[in-house]
Amino acid sequence: MFVFKAAVVGAGTMGGEIAQVIASAGIPVLLKDIQQELVDLGLKKAEEVTNAQLGGLVEKQKISREQADAQAQEILGRITGAIEYEGFGDVDFVIEAVPERIELKQAVFAELDAITPGHAILASNTSSLAISEMADATSRPDKVVGFHFFYPASIMRLVEIVEGADTSPETMQTATTFAQTIRKLPIACGEEPGFVVNRVLNSAISEIWRVQEEKDLSVKAVDDALSQARVAPMGPFFLTDLLGLDTVLHVAEHLQESYGSESFYIHQGMKALVAAGDLGAKTGKGFYDDGQPRSEGETEFDHEELTQRFVLKALVEACLLLEDGIATVRDIDLGLMAGAGLVPPPLARADQTGLDVALAALERAAVQWGEQFRPPLILRRLVAQGRLGAKTGQGFFAYKQPDDGFEQGEAVQLETCDGYAIAWLDRPPANSLSSQVISELARIWEHVESEDGIRALILASANPMLFCAGADIKAFAQIDEATGAELLDETHALLRRMECSSTVTIAAVNAVAFGGGCELAMGCDVRIAAQSASFGQPEINLGIIPGFGGTQRLPRLVGTARALELNLTGDPISAEEAFEIGLVNRVVPDHELHDAARAWARKLGGQPPLAVAAIKRTTAGDADLDQGIEAEKDAFGEIFRSDDAREGITAFLAKRSPRWTGR
Ligand code: NAD
């Protein structure tokens, strides 16, 4: 489903900025509240944010003042204020951002159900209420979804896409794609209280609250200790002041009611401050008053213990989310990085520490500090499997352990295992494909082919957050025609050699595989996808077409209709959908991806080589494919030279919408 027009209901703290974010991405949006003055406040907020953003670009001399004024006018022109539901008859996506009361939300959802077209998705920005209860107020529970922004919505990139009991996979996908379209970073999660970020962050912070009150520690010394140890971007008391004590208390109470007080302790002093009307930055006073702490306390304490309590508690909560299937490994860590500033995030941090070390620390903590530190089952299981984190090559994530001679810094690194090998794509930040990557991959392939003992090659990413984001657009925009053609030739030649060889190739797709990344995976014999993976051929959004076989292998895998759809819309699809249409062979939980890929490598690598080669050659090695690839190359070259391609790439780099001329 496509979003041509959106609406935001509730023009308060969140609503005004959400409308601005949508309008900035080129999508017209209605902004509704109950009174004209409130709508005007929301519009004003949108204007302030727009001016601040564009002003920043002018200051950095990225655009001129005139360009900024014109862009501001364009963005704000896309927002229409409303106090009735006028204009809602043709919206495709609505985000509700009214106050956090279920009866109010249900009333709004019932109204939206009656006033919007049947296909429209109704999303809620709720931080804590059940999506399913809002869905119950409508006749389209499958199209109701959580769409949780973080404050301030114009700056924070994370959006939690929350799946209610009846939310359909299509709705989750549309919401995810819409979040990406408005330049946000979506993660998917179940509708358990606190979702991902609030739950893990609050769990860790509540432990600090507990110690601070038990030992009467200085609030400022605690804040300083945690920020200096770099376990969080700022201390919990400072953060609470910024967010508003009432807001934080509300979330904390909700989490305590849901999960119990053992894991979610509430700071008693905070309760008293809220009762006294001291809500932090917004009222001038909270834990701090004008930067000074309002109470004294012990300044001498064990900093290591304090940071350990924070780190271990975050790990326990993250593991529980994983165990209960509420979010994937990647989404949990990505959420905590982007939404809470925890760098490294809890699961990656534990992998670095060593899962055996973390488990032992939790066992001690459970005895010393309480049952809330009881080691989660999933951690015990991983340790029992010998998956101890970075040092053994696998923990929650997989880690490269390249052969000697592969220096850090090479874009593709080889790891030889027993009977098979792994080619690790390792080109920060996005594993984007360049001439260097392709020639290193070709060298590795030659080596693999020449080794008798290696019968299968796994293609994997050393970056836990993405597989491969596609061709290097910046470099692409600068290379001359001859070099570009050479890159195409080399890539195609490599993929064809892989397809006709007796060595089996397996793509272990952990996350985003877009454009060239998706085409590289399609050039492999088997594709195993992690739940967090997504696939897409977004070239068309740049005014170009797929160049590494996307117009040829995609239809062969998924049929012409779906291939045309994917190539023409440029929209991504989830791992589940990729499995349904035949683009991938299996979907597995994130943390099982590498075990699954290795099992396939052992199985297929053990098959008779002549038969493997013959089957591969006759299945994918047809002359039609070669012809098709030649046709794609010609078309790619032609399109790449067009004005539209230049405009598409320029607009992409400038983060603005392109204007097509058909020339
Ligand atoms: P807010 O009180 O600042 O704004 C809510 C707005 O909704 C008000 O302007 C109100 O007049 C309007 N409203 C009330 N009833 C309405 C109706 N029937 N139709 C249209 N408008 C109506 O609240 P907020 O802080 O923007 O929060 C909105 C939602 O976002 C809540 O669900 C909240 O949990 C969630 N949220 C808030 C934050 C945050 O930090 N403030 C962060 C993430 C999510």
Side-chain angles (χ1 to χ4, degrees):
M1 205 201 89
F2 308 110
V3 180
F4 297 105
K5 181 175 170 184
V8 177
V9 181
T13 309
M14 299 301 287
E17 290 203 20
I18 295 173
Q20 193 273 346
V21 169
I22 297 172
S24 294
I27 298 169
V29 56
L30 299 165
L31 178 61
K32 181 198 179 299
D33 208 297
I34 41 181
Q35 289 166 14
Q36 191 57 47
E37 305 87 84
L38 296 170
V39 174
D40 291 342
L41 278 179
L43 294 172
K44 190 153 168 278
K45 183 87 204 164
E47 190 177 338
E48 282 167 14
V49 170
T50 305
N51 290 338
Q53 281 173 353
L54 295 170
L57 292 181
V58 173
E59 227 164 77
K60 285 191 213 144
Q61 300 190 331
K62 294 236 164 134
I63 52 174
S64 67
R65 174 58 33 217
E66 292 71 41
Q67 282 171 321
D69 290 344
Q71 273 191 36
Q73 220 176 10
E74 240 178 65
I75 292 172
L76 298 171
R78 293 192 192 105
I79 312 179
T80 310
I83 46 173
E84 302 296 334
Y85 281 112
E86 66 264 14
F88 276 65
D90 62 350
V91 294
D92 308 298
F93 200 102
V94 185
I95 300 172
E96 163 279 308
V98 304
E100 193 79 337
R101 292 202 312 274
I102 191 67
E103 330 73 64
L104 178 59
K105 303 233 181 216
Q106 283 183 324
V108 169
F109 270 79
E111 287 166 11
L112 287 171
D113 193 30
I115 214 78
T116 59
H119 73 264
I121 288 181
L122 308 180
S124 172
N125 186 42
T126 182
S127 311
S128 60
L129 301 172
I131 301 304
S132 304
E133 286 185 40
M134 293 170 225
D136 285 347
T138 74
S139 63
R140 56 179 109 178
D142 57 315
K143 296 197 174 65
V144 175
V145 67
F147 205 80
H148 183 223
F149 286 87
F150 287 74
Y151 176 80
S154 60
I155 294 175
M156 296 292 284
R157 285 203 63 208
L158 190 72
V159 175
E160 288 173 324
I161 314 284
V162 186
E163 185 178 9
D166 299 311
T167 312
S168 69
E170 293 76 39
T171 299
M172 286 299 285
Q173 184 61 54
T174 304
T176 303
T177 307
F178 182 59
Q180 285 166 341
T181 305
I182 61 173
R183 303 192 190 103
K184 294 290 170 188
L185 204 60
I187 62 166
C189 61
E191 66 174 334
E192 249 52 43
F195 310 138
V196 171
V197 174
N198 278 341
R199 176 165 164 190
V200 176
L201 186 62
N202 259 272
S203 178
I205 286 181
S206 90
E207 200 52 37
I208 301 302
W209 285 341
R210 192 196 303 266
V211 192
Q212 189 271 331
E213 293 210 305
E214 272 174 14
K215 301 191 175 175
D216 187 28
L217 304 181
S218 149
V219 159
K220 175 149 189 356
V222 166
D223 273 354
D224 289 348
L226 286 171
S227 52
Q228 278 160 17
R230 293 174 179 272
V231 292
M234 59 185 90
F237 296 100
F238 188 80
L239 176 68
T240 304
D241 266 13
L242 269 187
L243 293 176
L245 272 66
D246 52 339
T247 308
V248 174
L249 178 63
H250 181 74
V251 174
E253 284 177 337
H254 175 62
L255 289 168
Q256 189 180 66
E257 274 164 33
S258 311
Y259 303 111
S261 55
E262 192 176 76
S263 257
F264 288 88
Y265 174 86
I266 294 178
H267 195 274
Q268 297 304 303
M270 176 168 69
K271 266 188 176 167
L273 288 169
V274 171
D278 291 344
L279 307 182
K282 60 185 163 191
T283 60
K285 271 191 271 187
F287 288 109
Y288 291 87
D289 181 359
D290 209 11
Q292 295 306 313
R294 292 173 63 199
S295 60
E296 301 298 318
E298 187 58 61
T299 52
E300 299 291 320
F301 55 88
D302 183 349
H303 287 205
E304 177 60 21
E305 177 188 325
L306 195 79
T307 51
Q308 274 292 302
R309 284 174 89 133
F310 184 93
V311 164
L312 291 175
K313 192 68 187 312
L315 174 61
V316 169
E317 209 62 44
C319 286
L320 295 177
L321 278 170
L322 194 58
E323 241 169 64
D324 295 344
I326 293 163
T328 62
V329 171
R330 171 188 176 269
D331 281 1
I332 292 170
D333 263 16
L334 193 58
L336 287 157
M337 269 197 293
L342 303 191
V343 183
L347 302 174
R349 182 185 281 269
D351 272 355
Q352 293 304 328
T353 308
L355 298 191
D356 50 342
V357 177
L359 176 61
L362 282 175
E363 280 166 344
R364 279 194 305 276
V367 175
Q368 241 178 317
W369 303 325
E371 275 295 291
Q372 68 273 27
F373 288 96
R374 196 174 42 241
L377 188 66
I378 186 136
L379 189 60
R380 287 194 186 284
R381 199 179 286 155
L382 291 175
V383 171
Q385 286 176 279
R387 293 173 50 156
L388 308 182
K391 62 186 167 191
T392 61
Q394 279 201 79
F396 291 105
F397 295 98
Y399 298 87
K400 63 179 171 138
Q401 295 193 307
D403 298 353
D404 287 347
F406 280 89
E407 320 299 335
Q408 300 289 325
E410 273 173 328
V412 190
Q413 302 186 9
L414 181 72
E415 178 178 341
T416 309
C417 308
D418 190 13
Y420 63 94
I422 306 174
W424 291 96
L425 294 176
D426 191 11
R427 183 171 187 248
N431 280 348
S432 51
L433 300 178
S434 61
S435 307
Q436 184 205 354
V437 176
I438 297 302
S439 58
E440 286 185 25
L441 199 55
R443 237 187 1 256
I444 283 187
W445 178 250
E446 241 169 70
H447 169 79
V448 164
E449 284 272 85
S450 68
E451 291 285 313
D452 282 346
I454 304 178
R455 299 287 324 288
L457 180 72
I458 297 173
L459 205 59
S461 163
N463 181 336
M465 297 302 157
L466 61 86
F467 178 72
C468 169
D472 185 338
I473 301 296
K474 257 189 201 154
F476 230 56
Q478 283 156 7
I479 52 177
D480 60 60
E481 218 167 280
T483 325
E486 219 171 277
L487 175 61
L488 284 190
D489 286 345
E490 274 174 30
T491 310
H492 282 298
L494 171 64
L495 295 180
R496 294 301 277 134
R497 283 205 300 279
M498 284 164 44
E499 278 170 335
C500 299
S501 154
S502 65
T503 304
V504 176
T505 50
I506 296 155
V509 184
N510 57 326
V512 168
F514 287 173
C518 187
E519 290 169 300
L520 201 55
M522 288 193 289
C524 293
D525 303 324
V526 174
R527 284 153 296 283
I528 313 287
Q531 275 169 346
S532 289
S534 53
F535 298 81
Q537 297 292 154
E539 288 85 351
I540 191 144
N541 298 327
L542 299 175
I544 58 175
I545 67 169
F548 294 155
T551 65
Q552 299 304 308
R553 292 190 183 86
L554 192 55
R556 283 172 168 77
L557 285 167
V558 308
T560 316
R562 291 312 299 268
L564 272 173
E565 182 182 325
L566 286 167
N567 283 334
L568 288 175
T569 61
D571 283 349
I573 56 171
S574 66
E576 257 337 303
E577 197 175 343
F579 175 68
E580 270 166 33
I581 65 175
L583 179 52
V584 302
N585 299 69
R586 292 288 185 282
V587 181
V588 298
D590 289 14
H591 59 281
E592 286 172 18
L593 176 67
H594 276 258
D595 281 346
R598 284 164 193 264
W600 279 77
R602 282 199 299 271
K603 168 79 181 168
L604 300 187
Q607 303 290 47
L610 293 180
V612 167
I615 288 172
K616 283 177 56 171
R617 220 177 28 246
T618 47
T619 308
D622 54 306
D624 281 358
L625 179 55
D626 286 320
Q627 255 177 23
I629 286 172
E630 285 310 313
E632 185 189 277
K633 271 191 209 165
D634 288 346
F636 184 87
E638 197 178 305
I639 302 285
F640 199 73
R641 288 187 292 271
S642 70
D643 286 353
D644 275 355
R646 199 164 315 123
E647 163 66 7
I649 291 169
T650 312
F652 173 79
L653 294 175
K655 296 195 165 95
R656 62 166 174 80
S657 313
R659 298 177 183 85
W660 309 127
T661 56
R663 280 197 296 274

